[in-house]
Amino acid sequence: ELVWERYTGDWLRTSASGYWYQANRLITLTADPAAPLATTYVNEGRVRAHGLELEAQFRSRRRLEGMLSYALQEATDRDTGALLLNSPRQMFKGRVSMPIVTQGSSIAAEVVAVSSRRTLTGTTVPAAAPLNLSVVQPLERSFEVFALLRNVFDARVADPVSDSLVQNVVYQNGRTFHVGLRWKLRAQ
């Protein structure tokens, strides 16, 4: 892996990294008639991957913060040369947050975009880019209330599955809303 990183004052950090690696003896599900479910896990997979990642983080004096990252990657099975299942060729992440009413409170928007991915049957799952919103309100030094709205626009998002499942893809939940209370063990 080769990494370049640059800080511009205290408001901007940029980085670029290129990588290439091989991994051996990956855990792989294999047919085994002697096993209780006729399958077992063995260490036999071999993968080769390479890619490029670009990232920028910024912070303004008014506590507006953000992060953008982009990855272009390719991962292949070394024995067959086939692209790995559920391995996106491109990914984009973006997040922006800003303070709201009281000290320490914030609102944030985040998107994680993933390009199409190949399934076991050779079809592809379409690209997806769900948007998430979150709000945090500290109550005191160790507690905060948070609210999270995932998949704001109720996009239909699916992920390819392994050969241990019957279906070809698993659809993720649509729009969901979470509210909670967090206890921070170490107050900042």
Side-chain angles (χ1 to χ4, degrees):
E1 181 173 16
L2 181 61
V3 178
W4 171 86
E5 189 170 55
R6 178 180 174 126
Y7 288 85
T8 304
D10 63 349
W11 69 278
L12 178 65
R13 182 191 69 81
T14 54
S15 68
S17 64
Y19 64 88
W20 180 90
Y21 71 85
Q22 293 185 59
N24 298 318
R25 300 179 46 81
L26 298 176
I27 299 172
T28 306
L29 185 64
T30 306
D32 181 359
L37 297 175
T39 58
T40 189
Y41 289 95
V42 295
N43 294 81
E44 68 177 14
R46 299 178 345 137
V47 172
R48 176 181 296 127
H50 61 276
L52 172 69
E53 296 180 12
L54 306 171
E55 184 175 285
Q57 289 180 317
F58 64 89
R59 179 179 28 211
S60 76
R61 291 183 185 173
R62 296 180 187 217
R63 290 188 41 224
L64 178 68
E65 296 181 12
M67 183 276 303
L68 297 171
S69 71
Y70 172 77
L72 179 63
Q73 58 195 9
E74 182 178 84
T76 57
D77 182 308
R78 287 178 38 208
D79 296 325
T80 66
L83 292 174
L84 293 185
L85 302 176
N86 198 12
S87 180
R89 182 95 166 106
Q90 299 179 67
M91 289 182 67
F92 169 81
K93 296 178 187 176
R95 178 178 170 80
V96 65
S97 65
M98 60 184 274
I100 50 178
V101 185
T102 62
Q103 178 69 27
S105 63
S106 65
I107 187 168
E110 174 186 59
V111 66
V112 178
V114 180
S115 66
S116 62
R117 292 158 289 153
R118 196 170 63 85
T119 69
L120 274 172
T121 62
T123 61
T124 57
V125 170
L131 173 69
N132 304 318
L133 298 175
S134 62
V135 176
V136 175
Q137 173 62 55
L139 296 178
E140 58 179 60
R141 288 176 37 118
S142 297
F143 291 96
E144 62 187 17
V145 174
F146 69 92
L148 174 61
L149 179 60
R150 290 185 189 268
N151 197 353
V152 171
F153 300 112
D154 201 23
R156 190 160 166 92
V157 178
D159 291 313
V161 299
S162 71
D163 56 0
S164 63
L165 297 176
V166 175
Q167 66 269 37
N168 193 36
V169 298
V170 170
Y171 288 95
Q172 300 303 313
N173 291 333
R175 184 181 308 116
T176 58
F177 183 67
H178 306 270
V179 176
L181 176 67
R182 264 193 286 247
W183 174 37
K184 297 189 285 185
L185 294 177
R186 181 175 234 174
Q188 297 175 354

